[in-house]
Amino acid sequence: MNIVLLGPPGAGKGTLAALLKKELDVPHISTGDIFRSNIKNGTELGKKVQGILASGSLVPDEVTIEMVRARLGEDDTASGYILDGFPRTIRQAEALDEMDEIDAVINFVLDDEEVVKRLSGRRLAPSTGRIYHIITNPPKKEGFDDETGEPLIQRDDDKPEAIRHRLDVYREETAPLIGYYRGKGRIIDIDAAPAPEEVLKAVLAALKA
Ligand code: ADP
């Protein structure tokens, strides 16, 4: 099953994808994670996109589309995948339509106030990408990962200036995709406000139906 996760930054796409991946046994492909790992490893791509990510703007479509095309060409996608963070523009959606058939688009619905709360409290374990929130999902020991014990970090683009910019970018570039996929009859709207396990249940029920 080929699934696209759509919704504003901070709606919980990454968290849900990690849970859904276990249920469906298909890879979780996050364009944000791929960019961040390139930045961490100092690749050419990483150098090119570092400033763009820090500011919360979008990486140019050509770059992102080719990266996804290469990733979807790998063997582990044969029985499906969960795409998280792609497509983010109409042009990317059109390119994806040419690459593959998408079975379901899950649209996470969450208001701006909640988005800002979630993003500003988000912390990450840099080596695994494991996600915490300082209030709603804190680690056992403040500031450190439960598993590896490494210090947690805050993403540059989770700082207030960048959060506001990402919300603007989402509204202008990405929200139009809701209409695009609704027109194709493949959208499932999911309330992203409840706890992750609740959201997972709702998604699984909707996928079965
Ligand atoms: P978010 O928490 O905003 O959903 P992601 O981890 O998905 O964050 O993406 C982080 C950043 O990576 C984006 O702000 C953007 O700079 C870049 N990025 C990720 N996916 C795309 C995409 N499909 N097109 C362009 N840029 C992207």
Side-chain angles (χ1 to χ4, degrees), residues 7-196:
K13 300 187 294 293
T15 302
L16 195 279
L19 298 172
L20 197 56
K21 170 191 150 106
K22 286 188 206 151
E23 297 287 332
L24 304 179
D25 197 26
V26 294
H28 166 209
I29 300 174
S30 157
T31 43
D33 285 350
I34 302 176
F35 287 132
R36 280 186 290 277
S37 107
N38 274 276
I39 292 171
K40 202 170 122 199
N41 295 325
T43 67
E44 281 308 307
L45 176 64
K47 283 177 205 153
K48 188 145 108 188
V49 303
Q50 183 158 29
I52 301 176
L53 261 80
S55 73
S57 294
L58 293 185
V59 173
D61 283 335
E62 314 80 78
V63 175
T64 310
I65 289 168
E66 288 322 308
M67 184 179 84
V68 170
R69 194 191 303 283
R71 181 64 188 86
L72 294 188
E74 286 175 33
D75 294 343
D76 65 340
T77 63
S79 57
Y81 48 80
I82 302 162
L83 260 183
D84 161 16
F86 184 94
R88 247 184 170 89
T89 65
I90 294 284
R91 210 176 128 212
Q92 292 178 11
E94 288 169 349
L96 178 62
D97 275 341
E98 282 166 20
M99 289 179 224
D100 217 342
E101 181 84 22
I102 299 302
D103 301 301
V105 177
I106 299 169
N107 178 40
F108 291 88
V109 181
L110 195 69
D111 63 45
D112 285 4
E113 197 190 330
E114 187 61 25
V115 164
V116 173
K117 257 194 234 162
R118 287 188 181 184
L119 293 178
S120 52
R122 175 158 72 179
R123 299 293 182 273
L124 299 182
S127 76
T128 60
R130 182 165 171 162
I131 303 166
Y132 297 88
H133 188 282
I134 52 174
I135 293 159
T136 56
N137 179 28
K140 294 197 186 89
K141 181 169 177 234
E142 192 185 322
F144 296 92
D145 184 51
D146 290 347
E147 262 168 46
T148 63
E150 67 193 306
L152 302 179
I153 57 159
Q154 182 175 36
R155 277 168 47 173
D156 285 338
D157 59 349
D158 281 345
K159 296 177 180 157
E161 271 274 312
I163 292 177
R164 275 193 297 277
H165 182 53
R166 284 159 70 200
L167 274 170
D168 289 342
V169 171
Y170 172 76
R171 259 190 296 271
E172 274 168 38
E173 305 274 354
T174 309
L177 292 181
I178 300 170
Y180 177 88
Y181 283 117
R182 212 178 291 287
K184 295 174 179 279
R186 274 177 281 166
I187 280 255
I188 299 169
D189 292 309
I190 294 286
D191 177 12

